[in-house]
Amino acid sequence: MVNSRANYGVDAPGVLAGLTLGGIAELALAAVLFGVGLPVPAVVLLVGGIALAAGAALFAHTTLRGKFRVWDAELDRLGLKGDEQVLDLGCGRGMVLLKAAGRLSGAGRAVGVDLWVTKDQSGNSQDATLANARAEGVAGRVDLVTGDMRDLPFDDAAFDLVVSSLAVHNIVQEEGRAEAVREAFRVLKPGGLLRIADFRNAHRYAEVLTECGAADVEVYDLGWRFWYGGPHARTSMVACRRPGVGER
């Protein structure tokens, strides 16, 4: 459960604001048109306004609650022992990073990498993530690095688990996204696991991982709790494993 003192912000705040304001504007205009005796355009705007408002509500649920529950379930399924080295690509304010850190103990470490861009997440900053780590009681197991996921400052085979949530798609160029996925695989230890959640390009990520030699590559839908406004922006998980030493 998320500590009430932690604040993870809102994903893509401009999109949520646009859905909300657009819905309000269309509903208000529909009311005006009904008032002046223009029912047909009023009904069109009413339907559009309701759709936008519903999309905003679903978006808000995903960013404030739904994604937390989905990632809890995903991390529970991984069955971490506690001593793993975990990397979160595009960690933002630390939701997945700190959930992973909370499952670690002893020598386990959780490392977050980000460029701290606020248009991708409201209030995104290294200080905000550190504050959340302290609030969740896991600051002693967390390291933060300012860096580009296309060129990770880590050795090969450094991590047991690499995760990423709604971050890789922020790279505009297709080849840049492929570089980030290759880098994620490069830093995985033999037998290590990779989980990338994104609402675009998931099947392309899977293709890149297959080209890298990943095993057990799969793409699966994460359900309505991870919809950013509706099924048109549903989130998929890309999962794979790096083959162990001597494994083909």
Side-chain angles (χ1 to χ4, degrees):
M1 185 175 180
V2 178
N3 188 308
S4 60
R5 294 173 298 167
N7 182 352
Y8 293 97
V10 174
D11 298 327
V15 176
L16 179 56
L19 287 171
T20 303
L21 294 175
I24 292 172
E26 290 202 10
L27 291 172
L29 186 54
V32 171
L33 292 177
F34 274 120
V36 298
L38 296 173
V40 174
V43 168
V44 172
L45 285 170
L46 177 64
V47 171
I50 291 172
L52 287 173
L58 189 54
F59 191 113
H61 176 270
T62 292
T63 193
L64 297 175
R65 182 182 296 269
K67 67 177 183 180
F68 292 82
R69 294 184 175 182
V70 172
W71 270 107
D72 271 329
E74 290 293 322
L75 292 170
D76 286 346
R77 276 194 288 271
L78 293 177
L80 298 178
K81 295 180 294 182
D83 61 351
E84 289 87 356
Q85 304 300 302
V86 179
L87 174 65
D88 184 357
L89 302 178
C91 66
R93 296 178 65 156
M95 186 269 288
V96 182
L97 175 71
L98 304 184
K99 284 184 177 296
R103 290 165 168 80
L104 302 178
S105 60
R109 302 291 298 177
V111 180
V113 174
D114 207 292
L115 291 173
W116 320 109
V117 178
T118 55
K119 73 179 179 64
D120 300 329
Q121 187 175 60
S122 63
N124 190 18
S125 72
Q126 190 168 354
D127 287 342
T129 310
L130 286 171
N132 283 340
R134 289 191 291 269
E136 300 287 14
V138 297
R141 297 193 290 276
V142 170
D143 298 306
L144 299 178
V145 176
T146 299
D148 191 325
M149 68 181 79
R150 293 168 293 185
D151 186 20
L152 294 173
F154 306 112
D155 293 336
D156 295 353
F159 295 94
D160 301 285
L161 171 65
V162 176
V163 296
S164 182
S165 187
L166 279 295
V168 179
H169 76 270
N170 290 318
I171 300 172
V172 176
Q173 300 84 2
E174 179 179 355
E175 180 53 31
R177 295 190 294 272
E179 288 174 1
V181 172
R182 293 188 195 104
E183 280 288 274
F185 188 75
R186 177 184 67 80
V187 300
L188 267 184
K189 295 180 181 179
L193 302 175
L194 174 65
R195 297 291 185 271
I196 300 175
D198 218 334
F199 69 92
R200 295 177 187 154
N201 314 304
H203 289 281
R204 177 55 186 152
Y205 303 162
E207 291 174 358
V208 173
L209 289 166
T210 299
E211 293 165 1
C212 289
D216 305 329
V217 180
E218 60 176 324
V219 177
Y220 51 92
D221 185 80
L222 292 175
W224 70 271
R225 286 192 172 118
F226 228 133
W227 287 2
Y228 280 90
H232 61 284
R234 66 181 66 222
T235 304
S236 297
M237 183 69 82
V238 183
C240 76
R241 176 176 59 86
R242 182 161 194 154
V245 176
E247 181 183 357
R248 295 191 177 185

